[in-house]
């Protein structure tokens, strides 16, 4: 019981450290996969830069002009060496969708150019994607997600059926593969229509997102610089002023996210440090009590030839083993907690967290065990033998 209480601080500190590292690691993977995944070698031109401070966002919102369809067409004509370029806009708020008495109160209606098939994460499961002919003729056709299939067509083929979205009929030409959820919000509740159709029926001058895909990672920065130069020239931006538009890549979001998690991790390190110091002090006090209890034993060992270094290492190793045991218990407890968290949220225990946890706890035990060990090593053997057991 005394040993367990001695290690309690180390166990709590190790558990806290590994659980936080596991949640942050799981979130990093989740953000990179579900939110910051713009596509391979892809960046997005938008009205402002994402993941900036609130004041900077308000300033950019007031100063920067939205990206319009003529900006997209200008870039499509003038940018060189891109693999694909597309434009999208989402109708806000999401309209109602109906089919034969069934209703979805709000769907994501997205206007896209046909080239978005080469960039977007939506893949064709059946039917086809939007074509250039659909775009040129403002066709009332739709490419839908699995939520609409589940609600409207649970047992029939949805292709060539007509659904009513925002009071207008759209013929289904294709169904996307299931995407999944992000933070519990379905990403399959959408209907994609040609951007030209959205402009002619809903919003004449929408604010666009322009996706640009580079041929490979080596040309990514060059393509970003080219788009930046063309947009600055188009908007007559003086060289002394900042961009009045935003160029956003996956690393933009990941950098902002890691800055946030860095703050969280710094606070965690402070809490862990307090627990580790408290645990170390407890270990030192218990070891000092142990030296007092075993004074006679130390005297016997010295009288039969044990050197100071032998006594010193005996107690240092004992403190190290004790704290390492606490670290291992903390790791086991942290893994259990991380698995429970992963059921309802996201957590992934990295090997580095396990190594850091055990190493740190062992180091704390060795550090705080030095003083009791040195006290034991300095005992006079004659005085130690006189001590009653």
């Amino acid at each position: 019981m005394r040993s367990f209480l001695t290690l309690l601080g180390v166990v709590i500190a190790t558990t806290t450290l590994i659980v936080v590292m596991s949640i942050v690691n799981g979130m990093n993977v989740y953000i990179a996969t579900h939110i910051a995944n713009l596509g391979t070698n892809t960046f997005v031109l938008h009205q402002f830069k994402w993941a900036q401070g609130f004041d900077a966002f308000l300033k950019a919102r007031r100063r920067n002009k939205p990206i319009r369809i003529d900006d997209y067409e200008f870039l499509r004509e003038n940018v060189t060496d891109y693999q694909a370029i597309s434009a999208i806009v989402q109708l806000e708020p999401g309209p109602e969708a109906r089919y034969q008495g069934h209703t979805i109160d709000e769907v994501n209606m997205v206007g896209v150019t046909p080239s978005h098939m080469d960039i977007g994460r939506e893949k064709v499961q059946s039917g086809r994607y939007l074509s250039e002919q659909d775009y040129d003729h403002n066709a009332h056709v739709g490419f839908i997600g699995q939520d609409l299939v589940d609600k409207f067509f649970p047992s029939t083929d949805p292709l060539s059926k007509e659904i009513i979205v925002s009071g207008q009929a759209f013929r289904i030409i294709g169904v996307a593969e299931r995407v999944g959820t992000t933070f519990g919000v379905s990403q399959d509740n959408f209907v994609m229509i040609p951007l030209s159709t959205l402009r002619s029926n809903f919003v004449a001058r929408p604010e666009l997102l322009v996706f640009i895909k580079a041929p490979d990672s080596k040309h990514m920065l060059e393509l970003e610089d080219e788009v930046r130069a063309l947009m600055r020239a188009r908007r007559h931006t003086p060289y002394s002023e900042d961009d009045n538009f935003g160029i956003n890549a996956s690393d933009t979001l990941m950098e902002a996210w890691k800055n946030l998690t860095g703050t969280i991790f710094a606070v965690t390190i402070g809490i862990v440090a307090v627990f580790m110091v408290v645990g170390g002090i407890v270990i030192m006090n218990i070891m000092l009590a142990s030296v007092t209890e075993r004074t006679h034993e130390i005297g016997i060992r010295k009288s039969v030839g044990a050197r100071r270094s032998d006594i010193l290492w005996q107690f240092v190793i004992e403190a190290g083993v004790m704290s390492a045991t606490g670290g291992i218990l903390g790791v086991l407890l942290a893994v259990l907690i991380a698995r429970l968290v992963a059921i309802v949220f996201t957590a992934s225990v990295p090997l580095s967290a396990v190594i850091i946890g055990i190493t740190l706890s062992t180091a704390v035990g060795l550090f705080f065990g030095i003083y009791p060990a040195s006290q034991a090593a300095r005992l006079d053997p004659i005085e130690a033998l006189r001590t009653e057991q």
Side-chain angles (χ1 to χ4, degrees):
M1 178 61 71
R2 185 175 72 176
S3 297
F4 172 75
L5 295 176
T6 302
L7 300 179
L8 195 57
V10 174
V11 171
I12 294 174
T14 305
T15 301
T16 303
L17 177 65
I18 296 177
V19 167
V20 171
M21 289 183 69
S22 300
I23 294 175
V24 169
N25 182 64
M27 285 297 296
N28 285 342
V29 174
Y30 193 86
I31 294 293
T33 305
H34 292 79
I35 296 178
N37 184 18
L38 301 177
T40 306
N41 305 321
T42 301
F43 61 93
V44 179
L45 176 67
H46 193 210
Q47 180 180 357
F48 44 80
K49 195 173 182 66
W50 302 338
Q52 56 184 335
F54 185 66
D55 293 338
F57 164 75
L58 290 179
K59 180 180 178 182
R61 186 73 181 177
R62 289 192 300 266
R63 184 192 62 169
N64 298 1
K65 295 179 182 178
I67 307 299
R68 302 294 189 186
I69 191 68
D70 51 347
D71 294 316
Y72 161 70
E73 291 173 349
F74 170 78
L75 292 174
R76 185 180 61 182
E77 296 298 327
N78 291 279
V79 175
T80 58
D81 297 330
Y82 62 80
Q83 181 173 330
I85 181 170
S86 68
I88 75 167
V89 62
Q90 182 170 320
L91 191 64
E92 296 288 352
E96 177 186 81
R98 292 183 290 110
Y99 177 76
Q100 293 185 353
H102 299 283
T103 302
I104 298 178
D105 293 332
E106 186 174 327
V107 297
N108 297 319
M109 175 174 274
V110 185
V112 301
T113 56
S115 53
H116 195 66
M117 180 182 181
D118 300 322
I119 302 177
R121 61 181 175 178
E122 296 82 11
K123 306 302 179 186
V124 178
Q125 182 183 78
S126 61
R128 64 175 178 85
Y129 201 71
L130 305 170
S131 68
E132 291 291 343
Q133 289 77 14
D134 298 327
Y135 184 80
D136 293 339
H137 293 90
N138 299 349
H140 277 235
V141 294
F143 180 74
I144 64 173
Q146 288 291 331
D147 283 2
L148 277 72
V149 175
D150 295 342
K151 180 71 174 181
F152 294 154
F153 313 102
S155 58
T156 59
D157 185 0
L159 297 180
S160 298
K161 303 293 193 305
E162 282 196 349
I163 60 174
I164 306 299
V165 184
S166 191
Q168 301 207 28
F170 290 89
R171 180 171 57 87
I172 299 172
I173 58 170
V175 176
E177 295 179 358
R178 190 173 298 278
V179 178
T181 61
T182 299
F183 293 122
V185 179
S186 175
Q187 302 300 301
D188 296 293
N189 182 33
F190 65 83
V191 53
M192 289 184 170
I193 65 173
L195 179 56
S196 57
T197 307
L198 185 140
R199 290 179 61 215
S200 62
N201 291 275
F202 300 102
V203 183
R205 283 176 53 80
E207 299 180 8
L208 303 179
L209 295 172
V210 177
F211 285 69
I212 304 169
K213 184 174 184 178
D216 50 57
S217 58
K218 293 185 293 185
H219 292 84
M220 180 87 163
L221 293 178
E222 295 176 11
L223 199 56
E224 286 184 25
D225 290 340
E226 183 180 2
V227 170
R228 178 175 287 108
L230 287 169
M231 286 300 296
R232 288 180 68 90
R234 177 175 172 78
R235 295 187 169 186
H236 308 290
T237 307
Y239 74 92
S240 58
E241 292 186 8
D242 294 334
D243 295 341
N244 52 9
F245 51 86
I247 291 180
N248 304 279
S250 297
D251 55 3
T252 306
L253 296 174
M254 287 306 300
E255 181 181 353
W257 169 251
K258 287 180 179 178
N259 288 338
L260 173 62
T261 55
T263 303
I264 297 172
F265 195 68
V267 173
T268 303
I269 290 298
I271 296 172
V272 168
V274 171
F275 277 119
M276 282 294 186
V277 169
V278 171
I281 291 173
V282 171
I283 288 175
M284 182 173 64
N285 287 329
I286 295 299
M287 291 299 295
L288 285 171
S290 178
V291 169
T292 302
E293 292 176 353
R294 295 159 63 184
T295 301
H296 191 78
E297 172 196 327
I298 294 169
I300 294 175
R301 293 195 64 202
K302 283 195 168 187
S303 66
V304 295
R307 297 167 296 179
R308 278 193 172 190
S309 59
D310 297 326
I311 305 298
L312 180 72
W313 279 110
Q314 174 189 350
F315 283 90
V316 167
I317 291 172
E318 185 175 323
V321 169
M322 185 179 294
S323 58
T325 302
I328 293 172
L329 292 175
V331 168
L332 296 176
L333 182 59
V335 170
L336 176 62
I337 294 174
R339 288 187 176 180
L340 294 176
V341 170
I343 295 174
V344 295
F345 192 49
T346 178
S348 175
V349 181
L351 179 61
S352 58
V354 175
I355 295 173
I356 290 172
I358 295 177
T359 302
L360 184 61
S361 59
T362 304
V364 166
L366 293 174
F367 177 79
F368 284 94
I370 289 175
Y371 177 71
S374 63
Q375 291 293 97
R378 283 200 296 264
L379 286 175
D380 180 84
I382 303 300
E383 294 297 327
L385 284 170
R386 288 176 179 173
T387 304
E388 293 184 2
Q389 291 184 329

